Each structure stands twice: as structure tokens, then as C-alpha cells.
Amino acid sequence: MAAIQYEAPTTVEDAVGLLSKAKGTARVLAGGTDLLVQMRTGRVEPSLIVDIKKIPQIRKIKSEKGGFRVGAAVAGAEMSEHAAVCKAWPGIVEAFDLIGSTQIQGRASMGGNLCNASPAADSVPALVAAGATATVAGPKGTREVPVEKIPAGPGKTSLAKGEFVVDIVLPARKAGTGDAYLRFIPRTEMDIAVVGVGICLTLDKSGTCTAARVAVGAVAPTVLLVEDAAKALIGTKLDDAAMAALDKAVQAACKPIDDKRGTIAYRTKVSGVLARRAAAIAAERAKG
Amino acid sequence: MSKYHVTTSINGEEVEFLCEAQQTLLDVLRDELELTGSKEGCSSGDCGACSVMVDDRLVCSCLVLATEAEGAKVETIEGMADGDQLHPLQQKFLEHAALQCGICTPGILIAAKALLEKHPDPSEEETRYWLAGNLCRCTGYDKIIRAVLDTAAEMRG
Amino acid sequence: MDDAPHYKFVGTRPIRPDGVEKVTGRAAYGADMVLPGMLHGRVLRSPHAHARIKSIDTSAAEKLSGVKAVMTAADMPEIPNELAPAGEMMVNFREVSDNILARTKVLYDGHAVAAVAATSPSIAEAACKLIKVEYEVLPHVIDPVAAMADDAPVLHDHIFTEGLPEKPSKPSNVAKRIEIGTGDIEAGFKDADVVIEREFNTAAVHQGYIEPHACLANFTFDGQTTLFCSTQGHFVVRAICAKVLQMELSRLRVTASEIGGGFGGKTVVYLEPLSIVLSRKSGRPVKMVMSREDVFRASGPTSGANVWVKMGIKKDGTLVAGEAVLKYQAGAYPGSPVQPGCMCAFAPYDMANVKVVGYDVVTNRPKVAAYRAPGAPISEYAVESVVDELAKAVGIDPIDVRIKNAAKEGTRAAYGPKFGPIGYLDLLNKVKESEHYKAPLGKNQGRGIAAGFWFNIGGESCATININEDGTIGLVEGSPDIGGSRASMALMAAETLGVSTDRIKPIIADTASLGYTFLTGGSRTTFATGMAVTQAAQNAIQQLRERAAKIWDIPVEAVEWEDGFARPTSSNAGDFEPLSIGDIAAKAGKTGGPIVGRAEINAAGAAPGFGAHICDVEVDEETGRVTVTRYTAVQDVGKAIHPSYVEGQLQGGAAQGIGWALNEEYIYDKNGKLDNPGFLDYRMPVASDLPMIETILVECPNPNHPYGVRGVGETPIIPPMAAVANAVAAATGVRMTDLPMSPPKVLAALGNANGGGDD
Amino acid sequence: MARVVLPTSVARQFAAATEFEVAAANVRAMLEALDTQHPGLRREIEDTMALAIDGEIYQDYMLEPLQPESEVFVVPKIGGG
């Protein structure tokens, strides 16, 4: 039985060093709400666990250029308690807050939710819709990448050996912009999203949509940024016809699977429903 | 197999233990420290029976590695009563018959205490969502929710 | 009612005697016990739904450092393949043994094939991975209807369908065909103005107790074994373990731990014999605890089923005929609850013509175990759905159809006997008069009602009342307390003795310390063990009177017991100050020795349980989500000894039934592997899924019980599925015939209805 | 004479009628009478069935008294959860 090594470095450099030199499987531990379950069920058998929570900046939210730099291990509950983030990006905070129970909220991190690379991760569509980026540290230094580039497929990321996500940058929210995230689950809590839709849109003074991003989760191997859905909204006043076009565009983009959580037909249909409902909420927020 | 030496505070007392890297805080509480009030219902964070406070945050101890408890402040059901003085929630749970088999009770009490510390006057809906991570199969939650709301009212005075 | 007896303690709500231990985390449940030198056991389970075991090589596991014992079915005695008496029932212990550890074939994903004891859980897990099992994978069958087909894979060569006119020539997955009925079913349908027939399917659902199965065995070299385990009946555990391990009962002493939920699922044995054998082989105590995944894969859910129902009604609302065919899957071995399913199906109705046929069907799933009113929720869901449709068809309020046709005292049930006094009609009227039934509904909302019937049982129970020297009372009983029964026992003892409950300390004795007591199940504990406790208290009173007579030197007939005191019957008997229990106990040594009241009984006269539930739902027509917005459970409870715990039974049963209705199900993949063996995807109701569950207790006392008790625990799980389905139908016009009514199914049904043209 | 009613499945197994009139003072005598007519029926009933005597269900019944007008329904044993 191979022993597992546990390390809790205090700097990004040390963490990169440990991950780079690891033999066998190395796993980054942030909130641990996915990793520990995967270890317990034998889906992951790491030889090295690098707990990044002792790195100071990784547990902090910093205001920056009108936006925020959110450490990769900031827990959901900490986000929900941050008034400025809640005000700027309510959709992202709600999406994060939907992940699991109060107990899970005490631990689960946005970095973990992103890097676990589940197609159904709740925070990811909201981050993608908001145009968030991730700071990746690695042996060659750091790089900024759009969050949608991190997951590469179910359980797979684009991160190279030795790399990990240090923080996520939420951009400054432009005037007249609102975001929202809605997901569907069979119960009211504790389920994995059957479908999730994140929408960020900007309205001008007349109420016409001038920009939009629509991201859909759990309907493809990775979160989809649906450009046709955005086009359906831009230039409209989000009237019934625009909403119907949005619904149709989102459904057209879906490539879901049948599984224990939902059918192809169900996911497809409900993605359109949620898109309409999320767009309405985002629009209300955009109007302030 | 080399073990990790961890120093932590549990219910206000400094505690040291040795653990394997894959052992969870729940494993150590139950198997090494014989604090069996925290229950293992699922080991996947879905039932909340193992709820404890770590550094003032409500967590599932099955989803925390024991090594992570180094330097932390851990609070478990064993520390909830003050000597033989039950916490108001414990008393109300008894009065409302808010437990049947009682296996979920320690976790729910810890979670409810965390709720009332954060929201002294929760609505029924807030209470239900806060406790959504604590499964109870016996009660249908009715008497649990009533006990929590009644305690909140009493503690507000 | 003025003639209702007035009680001083029964019907009050004291704090339960075991409460403080349970709210402080000190109560010891199955996994909480530790013994010096204790090992940790783990089970290796089949990854296949159906396979022949060609070989098992445990040598590598045995060599692993820290491993102290490894076992396979070869370490268990060979048991003959025949029915043998087991308490009340006849059981094939070969099948019981095979289910505990597979001998020649594995019959479901998760079937145990080997077990290991090691010095740590992680070593035991590693050792399991080192056991090499060679399988020959066989075709499998999961669905009960598919399993009945002529070309279905046959699980057992020794099963030939029972209950057919002639013994079949080849083995079958249909273990048994049963039939009950009364009247002339065809004539009944001819009499009807409207006849509706429907086919229903229900998914297998698990009891979902939060505490996984757990036990700790300690075999000592003189052949004595102690076993500490989480069970609904430790005497039953002793009986089964002794049988499959061929031990003498006296060598096995079983202590029931506190139990973290059972609902019928902890009436059977899984880990206990393995821990005993591993302890014997290793010479050390062995603790075994199931993971949640093990619980779902390898412990008994209740049947999934296919049910066909046909019923006829006259325009005036009289139900004239009911026919049903029930196909229940039993899991890997025969023994689904189809029999009670048949008997309960039409039991709430006074209906002249009934025919029910049932099939017990084996499939490659874990063997089903009892689950709250086993069998009844499935058949009654189907019948209560059809009754709702019939009521609509003849334009009569569904509650009035039920009132008009309700079984009453003297009604003959389809399975034979006439009902004694029952409060069914009374409770239906309570439903109709309730504020809930009349409350207005909002948009996309609907209201449904449904009824439920369950037998309830009695059986063997023992109780001892120890009068302590200071006059306090030790109450010894043998029924594991799952939902507050210690409190009820204390109340009945208090009422009988005339002392308050805080003077009475109930304990659950182990199998060596009390006579045989059947398990906590069948809604029998407060009825049967309560009867034993009452009789033991009466027996103690008799002795207390005798001692008082000796103290006063008067005849015992001149001493009466009133309000906790011995008193002279009249001034003629003498002028004496009343003696309390404490006064008499203090002199017990001088008047004949310790005072111990006892009762050992086989309680007959259990009275049936009837209930009806009201459910409001709101349906999101775009997503198919069904939200229960209001819920009321009404039940004839006989007499509520501790009303809070009676309400709790109604609320908990309703919540489980709502889960069964909406989201709970066993999902298998194409290879016959369970695809959702965890709370994440099994989807039991969480706190935010439910409203408050209102209760209305109707008390029609059971004349056979000293305090009028009738069982209450099981009936509440029966009405919810149909109550929810009827509410969904009221909200949407769509009849859901498949459980669970999960959002994809509801949305599909709404789509079909909306796109269906004529609807 | 007590009236005894067998379930159809049991009657079929023993090629017996579903209803009997039996003169017996208690259940033991009743079962003995049935067994004389259909050997093995007593064992089948005792092993697997309960009796509803005048509406009351008995899982164990050997010594229960019967009245001349008693109705005895042979019903399956009921367990429970």
C-alpha cells in the first residue's frame, strides 16, 4: 500500500516546486469537497496532496481595477459574505452559493470547482458569462487565461504538470450590466446541476441589449459559451421574440448525454427555459 | 507508513494526534480520539451527520483531512453543552421531540448552532435551506425546524 | 367523548429517557463501540450483476502485513436448501447464508464474496483489493416483468413457481403466484357505470436510514461470543446468526446498540455472521461497518413493481369491483412483500367483488428487506390513483367516494376477516372538515388525497419491572428504541403504577438478560411490548399490595393500589397511612425479598391502522418540477401514548413517501450495476424540499390493549405516493403512473398531454 | 360448527375445498380435523399461516378456543417494517 504524502506549502513557488517534482499522481487540495470524495471512492489515488490553503493570497479576495481577484481557495461562504462582490457579480455569487450544502459552502472553492472540470460545475457558467480569467502559476511563471480554457473535458484540465490556479479575476462590471445564474436540480438542494445557465448582459439607457454572454453547463463535455444565444439578445429589448430566439439558440447548442441525472431531451428543453428565466433576472439587475 | 503529527484545538483543549495522510478529520475524531458523537453517514458530504466547526466555519468533517486541522480550532457536539448545562438548542430538541433515532441529531445541532450564531432570527425557509445538508430520515424535519425556530425566539429573548 | 378514560401520564409529552445522551453525542450507535485489540473488517463485493464464482484466491491478502483473518463462504457451514422455522416465519437459511456471503454464484452488484479483518481500515481495504476472484459472467435481469419472460436468464435452478395448479416442469424467476379474492369480479364490473384500468410502475426504493449497518463481534476461545450491533431486533439477530453459523443460542449474547434508523431494513443480517467468523479466526474483536455505497448496493431496498389495476364504480359513487395484478421484484432471493401488497390493495374499501393476483419475482438486485408496511404502499398507490380517477369520472369529490365506500367495523376485508372497531370513517370526515381540505389553491397548484391501510402485528415481548430499594423503578424491555419507544414504555408503566416517568428508567436488555422479544417492526412495539410492560407493572402492583398487606398484617384483598400508593380498601380494613412504592421497597427485605414484576407474553389483538393524507403541490410546467406546498397526515392512532412521537411517525412516514413519490429510485446501468449508490444521486428529501407536515390524530382505541394502542409507524408511508400523484393530476390534468414522478417524467407527460391533440 | 376458510392457493395445493365446517372446541382440534381430511394441511398452516378468528389475527393460535359460530380465516403471516 503506497503511502500518500501531504504537504502544505506557504508560497506559490513552493507549491509549484512540489507539483513539478511529484512522481505519480499529485493533487491540489483547496476545499477538498471533490478530492476527498474521489479518494474515498478510489477514483483518484494520489501519491502527493498539496494543500494550498496556507499560501496567504490564496484565501483572500482583493479589489483590483474595479473588479476582484479571488484566491483559488476562497470558500463559497466567504464569497457570500463579501458585500462588494455580491453587489457587483450577484450571478457569480449565487452560482457559487448553489454548490452543495452550508457545510460544503464552508470549504468548496471556486478554484476547485473550476479545476475539478465537471461539466456541471455551477460556478463555471457564471464565471464564463462574466468574462472571468484565471491566474495559472507554473514552472514557467504565471499566465492569465479565460476560465473557459481551463476545463478540457470531464475531469480533465488544460493545466500542464506543475501548474495550478492561484486566483480568479472577476473583471470590473460595466455600467448597465447584470448577471444571473440558474440551474435545475430535482431537489431544492444537494444535487448536481442537470442544466445550468449563466448570463451576463448589458443594457443601454433605452433598455436595448448591447452586449451579452450566455454560458450553459451540463449539456456538453465542457461549459458552452453560446454565441448565437448572445446574438439573439443583442440589439433587442429582450421582448418575447428575443427570449424565444434565445431559448431556441441555447437548445440548438446543447449536446448533452442521457444519464442518471437527466435525459438528452430534458436537458435540452430545460436549458432554453433556464436561459429565458436567467436573462430576465440579469436584465432586472442591469437596470439596477 | 509514516504518520503526520497534528496539533489542534478541540472543544477548547489542545490535542495532539498522529494520522495517515488520507485519514479525514472524522476518522481521527472517531477512531483515534474516541469522540464518536460526530457520525459517519456517507463519507461524501451528503448527509451532514459528521458536521463540526473548524475555525468557526460549519463543515463536514468527512471532507476535511485530519492533517488540515493543524493549528485549527475544532468544535464538536461533545463541546456543545456547558458541563451538565445543555445548550438551548439541545434542550429544545428534547422538548420538541425533534429527534427519533437520533443519529443525525449531533450534526443538526452543530449546524443549527452555526445558523443561530449567524442569523439570530432566521425564517423557516432560511432554516430549511441552511439545514439542507443534514439528512434526517425519521422526522420529516417538521419538529427539527420548529425546535430551531423556537430556540431562536427564546435566545433573542 | 365523556366515556374516554382519563389518564394522568398517558397522552402527556415528557422528555424521552434517552434524550440527553442523544443530544450530547454520547449515545453509542453501532459503529461507536471499541474493544481492546479490536480489528476492522471489510467486505469484498461482486462487481457483476450475475456471475458464477470459478475461484477465489485469498493468499496475497493473507500475506499483507496487518491482516489477521480472511474468510470466504467456505468458512461458513453448509446449510440445507429447505424451509426451516425462524420465529414466526419459514425461511430458507441456505438463501440467507448465500446472501451473507456468496457460495457459488453472485446474484447482484455488491453481493458479498469475501471478508477481511485487519489492524486498520486502510489495511483491510488494501487486502480486499488483493483477493483474486475469477468470475464467469452470466446474463442478468433487473426488471421484474422482463424476469418473468420465458427466455429470461434464470437465477436459481431450484425455484419452481409455487401456487400454480400443477408443478411447473422447469425453473423460473417467478417464485410464487398468489391469489386472493371475494365475490364475483366479472359480475361486479357488469354492475359498474364506469370502469377504469391502469398500469403502474414503481421503482425500488431504499429505507435510507442515516446509520449504515455496523457491528462488533468478540469470539472468545471458550466458544462464547458477544455481539454489539445496530438492529431492530437483537433476538432475531441471535437466531439468524446461530442458524447460519450453527451455534447454540446460549453461546451468542447480542446487545442492541442505539439504532440510527431502520424502517424495516435492520430486521435482517448482513455483517454480523462475518464479524463473528472473522473474530473466531483472528482471536480478536472485529468491528465491521458498511460504507454508504455498501448500504445501497447490498442491503435491502423494497421492491420495484409493475401493477395493473381495474376498478368499477356506479354513478352514485358505489365502488363495485376491484381487480389487480401485482408483479413485485424480490431481488436475488424469493420473498418480496407481494403477499401483504395483495391483501392491502383494496382493504380501505367495503367492496363486494375483489380479485388480486400477485407474483414474487427474483431479479439480479439486492434481496429486498422490509420497508415500513412492506408491499402496501405499492399496491395502494395504484388503487388510490384509480379511485381518484373514478371519482372524477362520476363527478363526485374524491373524499366523498372514500367516505361512501369506507371499510367500517364489521366490514369483511377481501382477505377474509371482519374489521373490529376502526376509526377510518371518523378520520375521513376529519379530512373533509379540515381547514386544509377547504383552503384555496394558487396557480399551477393542485390538491390530492389518498388513504392507506396496514395490518399492524403483535407477537412476543418480555418486560421486567424492578422495584429498586429507594422506590425508583428499573424497566427492562427487549425492543430496540428507534423512535422514542422508551418514553412510551415509561409512560405506560407510570400510568399503571401511578408514579411519574422521572422515577422510571427504561433500558433495552441484551439477549442473555431477558426472554425472547421479537423485533421492533410491524408497528408492534408500543402495542406488544407496551402490553408486556403494563402487565409487568400490574404484576409488580400485585406484589406491592401483598407486601403492604404483610406490613399492615391484613389480608391482601384489603389492600388496594391507587395513584402510586397502597391503601386499605376501607376503614374496616384498618386505619393505616398509605404506603408509597418507596415505603414498601425499603422494607422489601423484611417482607420476602426484592420486588420484581414480570410479564412474558405473545400479544394478540393488534388492531389495523388506517390513515388519509392531504397533499398540495405546485407544478412548474416548464421544468416538470413538483413542489409539495402543504401536507396533512390524518390517522387513527388508537391511543397516542406520547403524542409527539406519534406525530413524528406520521411526519416521517409522510416524508419518506414523498421521497418515494418524487425522486427516490434505484438506477441500474446496462451491465446491471447500481448507478446511484449514494445520497447524492439517490435523492432523499432534504429539509428545504418539504413543508411542515401537519398531523391530525384520531383516537379510536384498540379494545385489546390496556391503553387502546394500535400500531402507528407503518401506515403513514402508504398514502403519500397517491396523494402526490392525485395532486399532480389535479394541478395539470396529467395522471402519473410511473414512480418516481421525477421532473423529466413529469415534463414528458405534460408534453405528451399538451401535444396529444384531444386532451 | 366453526366455519374455516382457506386461501385459494393453499386449497389448491391440497386439492381441498376453500370452506369447511368443523366441530372443534379449539384451534388444535380444528387443525387435527382438517389434517385428517387433507394430510399435511396442518403443518402447512402452522408453518406459514396466521389465523383470523372472528376478526382477530393470531400468529400463534394452537390453544385458542373456538365457538360453534366462530369464523376462522387462514391468512398469510404478516411481518412488517
Side-chain angles (χ1 to χ4, degrees):
Chain A
M1 199 169 55
I4 303 171
Q5 185 190 350
Y6 168 88
E7 298 291 345
T10 53
T11 66
V12 171
E13 293 70 30
D14 287 352
V16 168
L18 284 160
L19 291 167
S20 306
K21 287 188 216 103
K23 298 186 183 73
T25 309
R27 277 286 184 276
V28 172
L29 171 67
T33 52
D34 287 314
L35 178 61
L36 265 66
V37 176
Q38 290 161 359
M39 284 168 59
R40 184 65 68 150
T41 55
R43 270 179 287 161
V44 174
E45 293 182 358
S47 51
L48 170 67
I49 294 170
V50 178
D51 181 356
I52 57 172
K53 290 191 295 298
K54 305 276 184 208
I55 305 170
Q57 70 262 41
I58 246 153
R59 300 202 61 176
K60 290 204 173 91
I61 300 173
K62 256 177 31 188
S63 296
E64 195 175 286
K65 297 176 192 162
F68 304 92
R69 186 173 286 274
V70 181
V74 169
E78 293 165 328
M79 281 274 280
S80 305
E81 289 161 9
H82 196 288
V85 175
C86 290
K87 188 158 184 286
W89 294 107
I92 293 174
V93 173
E94 280 165 5
F96 200 0
D97 188 51
L98 285 172
I99 302 168
S101 59
T102 317
Q103 286 85 338
I104 300 295
Q105 283 294 304
R107 293 269 293 171
S109 66
M110 217 183 298
N113 198 229
L114 180 63
C115 295
N116 187 50
S118 161
D122 283 306
S123 69
V124 180
L127 289 171
V128 170
T133 57
T135 310
V136 177
K140 294 174 191 160
T142 62
R143 60 191 175 100
E144 292 280 322
V145 283
V147 288
E148 57 267 37
K149 302 287 183 202
I150 300 285
K156 291 197 195 79
T157 67
S158 61
L159 298 176
K161 184 173 167 87
E163 286 190 327
F164 74 103
V165 171
V166 178
D167 55 40
I168 288 162
V169 179
L170 311 183
R173 188 180 60 136
K174 294 190 192 81
T177 298
D179 76 331
Y181 174 80
L182 289 177
R183 69 166 180 190
F184 186 84
I185 54 172
R187 294 180 289 184
T188 52
E189 270 282 6
M190 303 306 290
D191 293 326
I192 306 285
V194 176
V195 184
V197 180
I199 293 187
C200 180
L201 50 79
T202 307
L203 303 181
D204 66 15
K205 292 225 170 62
S206 73
T208 303
C209 179
T210 56
R213 283 168 69 89
V214 179
V216 190
V219 294
T222 57
V223 168
L224 299 176
L225 182 61
V226 186
E227 291 207 13
D228 285 346
K231 282 183 196 152
L233 298 177
I234 294 170
T236 76
K237 291 196 167 174
L238 307 183
D239 50 21
D240 288 353
M243 288 297 202
L246 167 70
D247 185 330
K248 201 172 158 197
V250 167
Q251 290 202 47
C254 290
K255 298 182 287 268
I257 55 167
D258 277 328
D259 69 6
K260 61 193 168 193
R261 293 175 187 149
T263 59
I264 292 170
Y266 185 76
R267 286 188 156 113
T268 304
K269 187 150 189 206
V270 171
S271 67
V273 173
L274 294 188
R276 278 189 276 114
R277 293 179 180 181
I281 298 169
E284 281 306 308
R285 287 174 178 163
K287 289 171 195 159
Chain B
M1 196 185 305
S2 65
K3 291 200 171 186
Y4 292 82
H5 177 259
V6 176
T7 306
T8 187
S9 151
I10 299 179
N11 300 327
E13 271 183 49
E14 190 178 286
V15 173
E16 289 178 69
F17 59 82
L18 294 174
C19 67
E20 297 166 11
Q22 81 284 354
Q23 277 186 294
T24 64
L25 177 57
L26 177 64
D27 292 337
V28 166
L29 288 173
R30 290 183 53 82
D31 298 342
E32 312 294 334
L33 304 176
E34 297 183 2
L35 292 167
T36 55
S38 304
K39 305 300 178 188
E40 179 166 339
C42 69
S43 276
S44 55
D46 294 303
C47 79
C50 65
S51 296
V52 301
M53 300 296 284
V54 174
D55 291 337
D56 301 317
R57 285 270 175 218
L58 178 67
V59 299
C60 288
S61 59
C62 75
L63 293 184
V64 178
L65 289 178
T67 50
E68 294 182 75
E70 174 65 39
K73 180 177 83 170
V74 178
E75 292 161 278
T76 72
I77 186 67
E78 285 86 353
M80 191 158 169
D82 182 7
D84 63 359
Q85 189 65 44
L86 295 179
H87 185 278
L89 275 164
Q90 291 172 312
Q91 186 62 35
K92 286 287 179 200
F93 267 55
L94 294 177
E95 290 167 9
H96 282 262
L99 54 144
Q100 286 180 31
C101 82
I103 194 87
C104 69
T105 308
I108 291 188
L109 286 168
I110 292 286
K113 180 165 175 266
L115 168 67
L116 298 189
E117 280 163 7
K118 197 170 174 189
H119 304 287
D121 188 9
S123 66
E124 180 191 335
E125 189 182 12
E126 277 172 323
T127 306
R128 287 186 178 277
Y129 275 89
W130 183 276
L131 293 177
N134 291 87
L135 288 175
C136 169
R137 191 61 159 171
C138 294
T139 64
Y141 304 103
D142 183 296
K143 294 187 190 302
I144 292 172
I145 302 299
R146 289 179 199 276
V148 174
L149 295 175
D150 190 23
T151 312
E154 188 184 87
M155 288 176 77
R156 289 193 308 274
Chain C
M1 281 189 297
D2 287 328
D3 56 348
H6 291 284
Y7 296 123
K8 192 168 172 190
F9 301 105
V10 160
T12 63
R13 305 177 186 233
I15 286 174
R16 60 194 288 171
D18 52 331
V20 171
E21 277 178 56
K22 285 179 176 164
V23 297
T24 53
R26 300 179 81 137
Y29 291 82
D32 295 343
M33 189 63 90
V34 176
L35 284 174
M38 185 180 85
L39 302 175
H40 299 267
R42 282 288 188 278
V43 176
L44 177 68
R45 298 183 181 277
S46 166
H48 303 295
H50 194 192
R52 203 173 306 286
I53 300 172
K54 294 170 76 177
S55 66
I56 305 178
D57 179 359
T58 59
S59 55
E62 281 159 24
K63 285 186 199 120
L64 184 67
S65 174
V67 172
K68 301 298 176 187
V70 181
M71 72 175 290
T72 65
D75 294 293
M76 308 253 289
E78 282 274 356
I79 310 277
N81 206 349
E82 63 186 21
L83 291 176
E88 300 287 333
M89 301 287 176
M90 295 295 283
V91 171
N92 183 337
F93 280 99
R94 170 70 174 208
E95 291 170 351
V96 173
S97 174
D98 271 358
N99 194 37
I100 290 163
L101 209 51
R103 202 168 278 275
T104 55
K105 283 214 296 187
V106 290
L107 293 165
Y108 53 92
D109 168 45
H111 199 160
V113 291
V116 173
T119 50
S120 78
S122 54
I123 294 173
E125 265 157 38
C128 282
K129 289 184 188 155
L130 293 174
I131 297 173
K132 293 188 190 73
V133 186
E134 204 183 337
Y135 292 103
E136 178 195 341
V137 177
L138 302 169
H140 68 274
V141 61
I142 293 293
D143 176 73
V145 178
M148 292 174 76
D150 276 344
D151 57 350
V154 172
L155 273 68
H156 300 280
D157 292 336
H158 70 274
I159 293 179
F160 294 78
T161 310
E162 279 178 46
L164 298 180
E166 281 163 35
K167 188 180 171 176
S169 59
K170 58 176 194 166
S172 163
N173 292 327
V174 181
K176 199 171 185 181
R177 177 190 185 278
I178 47 176
E179 183 177 331
I180 64 160
T182 184
D184 180 337
I185 192 73
E186 291 312 321
F189 283 124
K190 280 199 191 105
D191 219 16
D193 293 313
V194 178
V195 174
I196 289 177
E197 62 181 289
R198 287 278 177 271
E199 187 177 346
F200 298 85
N201 287 289
T202 70
V205 293
H206 198 275
Q207 297 83 355
Y209 31 82
I210 307 301
E211 179 203 29
H213 296 266
C215 64
L216 170 56
N218 190 17
F219 182 96
T220 53
F221 291 115
D222 60 356
Q224 300 290 326
T225 300
T226 59
L227 178 66
F228 176 84
C229 62
S230 174
T231 175
Q232 292 177 239
H234 41 310
F235 289 89
V236 172
V237 169
R238 182 180 66 165
I240 300 174
C241 289
K243 198 86 186 177
V244 299
L245 298 176
Q246 299 188 343
M247 300 169 73
E248 288 175 5
L249 290 175
S250 64
R251 289 182 181 269
L252 179 56
R253 180 177 181 182
V254 185
T255 303
S257 70
E258 293 303 329
I259 170 173
F263 315 107
K266 289 180 184 161
T267 57
V268 276
V269 160
Y270 301 105
L271 299 174
E272 291 83 355
L274 305 180
S275 64
I276 294 171
V277 172
L278 289 170
S279 178
R280 190 184 71 211
K281 289 189 85 167
S282 64
R284 292 168 62 168
V286 175
K287 184 199 276 193
M288 300 187 82
V289 182
M290 279 197 193
S291 67
R292 178 54 52 184
E293 187 176 330
D294 291 346
V295 172
F296 277 113
R297 287 169 73 205
S299 73
T302 193
S303 306
N306 173 274
V307 178
W308 172 87
V309 171
K310 179 178 173 186
M311 293 182 80
I313 194 168
K314 297 215 280 199
K315 278 184 191 142
D316 70 355
T318 308
L319 292 169
V320 288
E323 187 178 4
V325 178
L326 319 179
K327 297 165 184 170
Y328 281 26
Q329 51 98 348
Y333 302 95
S336 78
V338 69
Q339 179 87 59
C342 289
M343 294 162 74
C344 292
F346 296 105
Y349 297 98
D350 184 357
M351 192 161 59
N353 307 294
V354 172
K355 181 182 173 190
V356 188
V357 174
Y359 297 94
D360 182 29
V361 186
V362 294
T363 54
N364 292 111
R365 296 164 173 261
K367 166 74 169 72
V368 299
Y371 181 21
R372 236 175 174 151
I378 299 167
S379 60
E380 295 191 54
Y381 152 63
V383 169
E384 288 299 295
S385 297
V386 172
V387 169
D388 203 62
E389 284 198 77
L390 289 169
K392 194 179 166 197
V394 295
I396 299 176
D397 188 321
I399 190 68
D400 289 326
V401 168
R402 287 173 174 87
I403 288 170
K404 186 176 178 71
N405 297 281
K408 301 176 260 302
E409 182 168 3
T411 297
R412 184 180 298 289
Y415 58 88
K418 287 180 180 167
F419 291 119
I422 50 175
Y424 184 44
L425 199 53
D426 191 16
L427 77 86
L428 289 174
N429 283 312
K430 288 274 194 316
V431 168
K432 190 175 177 181
E433 293 155 14
S434 67
E435 185 270 324
H436 182 178
Y437 198 66
K438 297 171 192 156
L441 288 162
K443 192 167 171 266
N444 298 323
Q445 293 184 344
R447 177 168 299 141
I449 57 159
F453 159 82
W454 178 249
F455 310 94
N456 299 327
I457 63 169
E460 290 157 280
S461 282
C462 297
T464 303
I465 298 274
N466 290 312
I467 307 292
N468 298 326
E469 306 91 282
D470 62 355
T472 60
I473 288 144
L475 194 174
V476 185
E477 44 134 345
S479 295
D481 178 357
I482 317 185
S485 61
R486 284 182 184 93
S488 302
M489 299 307 152
L491 279 163
M492 286 182 275
E495 189 70 44
T496 309
L497 291 165
V499 300
S500 82
T501 50
D502 56 15
R503 306 274 289 167
I504 302 172
K505 175 68 182 171
I507 67 148
I508 319 296
D510 66 68
T511 57
S513 308
L514 191 73
Y516 181 88
T517 296
F518 189 53
L519 47 74
T520 296
S523 305
R524 66 175 289 280
T525 296
T526 308
F527 170 73
T529 301
M531 192 185 282
V533 165
T534 306
Q535 290 185 14
Q538 287 162 344
N539 179 245
I541 289 169
Q542 173 62 24
Q543 296 176 44
L544 289 162
R545 284 174 54 227
E546 286 166 7
R547 302 305 177 90
K550 283 187 182 172
I551 292 168
W552 290 330
D553 197 18
I554 61 174
V556 66
E557 299 77 41
V559 180
E560 64 179 8
W561 192 261
E562 192 187 49
D563 264 350
F565 287 88
R567 301 173 203 273
T569 46
S570 70
S571 53
N572 295 342
D575 188 17
F576 302 108
E577 280 296 301
L579 292 172
S580 69
I581 294 181
D583 297 334
I584 300 169
K587 293 188 174 147
K590 295 188 174 74
T591 56
I595 302 167
V596 179
R598 325 175 10 169
E600 292 83 26
I601 65 167
N602 189 349
F610 284 87
H613 292 190
I614 317 168
C615 175
D616 293 358
V617 300
E618 182 167 317
V619 180
D620 181 338
E621 295 200 335
E622 286 191 317
T623 65
R625 169 199 289 289
V626 175
T627 304
V628 176
T629 54
R630 188 170 178 189
Y631 202 95
T632 303
V634 189
Q635 188 169 320
D636 171 13
V637 301
K639 174 69 197 170
I641 301 298
H642 191 305
S644 296
Y645 291 105
V646 172
E647 292 160 3
Q649 289 296 318
L650 270 55
Q651 291 163 336
Q656 283 183 317
I658 291 168
W660 196 336
L662 291 180
N663 281 308
E664 294 181 35
E665 61 181 317
Y666 264 51
I667 304 170
Y668 281 89
D669 71 12
K670 64 182 192 315
N671 297 317
K673 275 180 83 78
L674 183 60
D675 201 20
N676 60 335
F679 285 140
L680 178 63
D681 286 304
Y682 180 72
R683 302 181 196 124
M684 291 173 4
V686 300
S688 49
D689 291 339
L690 297 173
M692 291 297 186
I693 312 278
E694 299 159 56
T695 59
I696 299 174
L697 307 184
V698 174
E699 295 188 324
C700 172
N702 174 5
N704 302 314
H705 187 277
Y707 294 111
V709 168
R710 57 178 86 222
V712 297
E714 292 171 290
T715 302
I717 202 173
I718 300 167
M721 285 73 84
V724 174
N726 294 343
V728 170
T732 65
V734 171
R735 170 63 47 189
M736 294 302 296
T737 56
D738 268 23
L739 298 185
M741 292 172 262
S742 54
K745 280 194 218 162
V746 173
L747 191 62
L750 289 169
N752 291 342
N754 297 339
D758 291 345
D759 269 57
Chain D
M1 300 276 265
R3 176 167 168 254
V4 184
V5 182
L6 296 181
T8 46
S9 52
V10 173
R12 194 178 280 160
Q13 195 183 331
F14 287 86
T18 53
E19 284 200 32
F20 295 82
E21 297 283 323
V22 181
N26 65 17
V27 171
R28 175 156 56 192
M30 178 201 94
L31 291 175
E32 279 167 3
L34 291 182
D35 206 59
T36 315
Q37 293 180 47
H38 298 284
L41 184 52
R42 175 183 179 171
R43 165 116 197 248
E44 175 68 20
I45 292 172
E46 285 184 341
D47 282 353
T48 65
M49 309 299 279
L51 296 185
I53 304 169
D54 300 324
E56 207 74 71
I57 295 185
Y58 295 82
Q59 309 268 0
D60 298 279
Y61 36 69
M62 191 171 69
L63 302 174
E64 293 301 326
L66 297 179
Q67 308 304 321
E69 67 280 11
S70 281
E71 271 190 351
V72 181
F73 281 82
V74 179
V75 297
K77 286 191 173 172
I78 301 298

